Amino acid sequence: MSKASSELILNADGSIYHCNIRPEHLADIVITVGDPNRVERVSQHFDSIEHKASKREIVTHTGTYKGTRMTVISTGMGTDNIDIVFSELDALANIDLATGEIKSDFRKLSFVRLGTSGALQADIPVDSYVIGSHGLGLDGLLHYYKGSEDVMMPEVEDAFISHVNWSDKKSRPYLVEASASLMNKLASDQTKQGITATACGFYGPQGRFLRLEPNPSDINEYLTSFSYNDLRITNFEMETSAIYGLAKMMGHEALSLNAIVANRILGEFSQDPYTTVDNMIVYALDRLAL
Ligand code: R1P
Ligand code: URA
């Protein structure tokens, strides 16, 4: 079925509405970062850049790294932006923009998020790197899509809900697993692994108390003490759950690698977060180009 122009929106040059690129500008490997300034921190390592675009907080560079074609794109902060960027990138790959028809040949994308995050365990120091073996969605985005239960893990979710006494005024937490093939590529003795919790904000939703008290005020203690078999929650950020959920529902691969810039248990922040992130970028690029 073709799509109305109000649903699949194109700009005058044929590029897609927010991401502002056309299908030929998208590589099969897509690195997502939150911060628009981080796009150039990634693409500065490319052999060459074939295309650059930007609109709002979404900046895109496509090029090659050691001969492997990659796109790096900023999403801005939060799962609401992930909904926009992932829907549009999937459309560029799998919908004929001229007719609005879904293409018969599925094109699979590999998404790797290179982000920053706060540790929820004392033994995960600032300046270390954590891969989300799972994304724990405290944000609610995935519930807006039919069939999302198929990619979730209700047994672990139920254990989490009961452990933290999760309020039914908030959306049900959801858990989605990372791509096993990307895990094989990106994991090493230089990375740690665990559940990455995704919040719908940076302050109250991550238990930070400035002038307004979070509800519950001790949410982080429950996250830190949760365990299910060998799984524990290692870190907090704002995008991974939606990336894992949407990518899996769409049939793509996704992995989230985060530089730990804060340790919430020890109350510490990195002395040099930019160097930590830059080192993570080179690490990830090298492993993706192998
Ligand atoms: C908050 O400071 C932002 O930093 C983290 C969070 O997920 C949120 O987007 O990631 P990025 O550094 O990739 O933006
Ligand atoms: N990003 C987050 O979302 N939380 C942190 O504590 C650090 C980075």
Side-chain angles (χ1 to χ4, degrees):
M1 199 172 49
S2 65
K3 306 262 185 276
S5 59
S6 57
E7 310 304 297
L8 176 59
I9 307 165
L10 301 181
N11 302 312
D13 64 355
S15 61
I16 200 150
Y17 188 41
H18 300 93
C19 291
N20 206 26
I21 56 172
R22 293 194 299 270
E24 65 268 26
H25 303 138
L26 180 67
D28 289 344
I29 296 175
V30 183
I31 294 170
T32 73
V33 297
D35 181 355
N37 292 322
R38 201 177 301 144
V39 171
E40 199 261 332
R41 311 288 308 165
V42 175
S43 69
Q44 67 175 336
H45 299 289
F46 285 3
D47 318 321
S48 59
I49 299 175
E50 67 188 57
H51 189 76
K52 289 186 178 185
S54 71
K55 191 171 179 183
R56 298 177 185 251
E57 61 266 66
I58 305 173
V59 175
T60 310
H61 293 177
T62 295
T64 58
Y65 177 77
K66 296 188 177 169
T68 300
R69 190 167 183 250
M70 301 177 189
T71 292
V72 53
I73 187 166
S74 57
T75 61
M77 293 183 272
T79 57
D80 46 353
N81 283 337
I82 295 301
D83 180 64
I84 291 173
V85 170
F86 276 63
S87 298
E88 293 192 359
L89 297 185
D90 178 65
L92 289 173
N94 290 302
I95 295 180
D96 180 333
L97 299 186
T99 64
E101 304 279 349
I102 295 174
K103 292 181 184 169
S104 50
D105 285 346
F106 174 68
R107 180 177 166 207
K108 186 189 275 246
L109 303 173
S110 293
F111 291 100
V112 175
R113 165 171 154 77
L114 298 180
T116 63
S117 186
L120 286 164
Q121 303 291 343
D123 63 343
I124 300 201
V126 292
D127 304 322
S128 61
Y129 304 118
V130 174
I131 290 177
S133 62
H134 301 73
L136 175 64
L138 309 179
D139 57 293
L141 178 81
L142 225 59
H143 299 302
Y144 288 85
Y145 288 95
K146 282 193 176 162
S148 56
E149 295 83 3
D150 297 347
V151 302
M152 296 177 184
M153 302 173 71
E155 266 183 36
V156 195
E157 293 162 5
D158 286 341
F160 175 77
I161 287 163
S162 134
H163 179 79
V164 303
N165 199 14
W166 189 255
S167 163
D168 57 14
K169 288 190 195 148
K170 298 177 186 166
S171 63
R172 181 184 160 90
Y174 62 90
L175 194 77
V176 185
E177 205 167 355
S179 152
S181 60
L182 285 175
M183 182 67 91
N184 281 339
K185 248 187 165 190
L186 272 293
S188 77
D189 58 4
Q190 294 178 62
T191 59
K192 299 174 188 298
Q193 282 178 37
I195 297 175
T196 294
T198 297
C200 63
F202 185 82
Y203 290 96
Q206 293 187 32
R208 286 188 169 92
F209 188 172
L210 300 187
R211 282 212 314 133
L212 299 183
E213 186 168 0
N215 183 17
S217 46
D218 52 358
I219 179 70
N220 289 2
E221 290 170 28
Y222 290 100
L223 266 64
T224 301
S225 59
F226 175 71
S227 67
Y228 187 90
N229 297 335
D230 290 342
L231 282 176
R232 65 176 183 159
I233 298 170
T234 41
N235 57 311
F236 237 153
E237 47 77 274
M238 295 173 59
E239 291 83 19
T240 295
S241 60
I243 289 175
Y244 283 9
L246 292 179
K248 197 161 255 192
M249 290 186 74
M250 291 166 173
H252 303 303
E253 307 289 332
L255 191 88
S256 179
L257 172 61
N258 281 289
I260 299 300
V261 295
N263 185 297
R264 302 297 307 289
I265 309 304
L266 304 176
E268 294 173 353
F269 196 81
S270 170
Q271 300 288 307
D272 188 2
Y274 294 103
T275 301
T276 301
V277 170
D278 281 346
N279 290 341
M280 175 179 70
I281 288 169
V282 173
Y283 170 84
L285 286 173
D286 277 336
R287 298 197 71 103
L288 285 168
L290 281 178

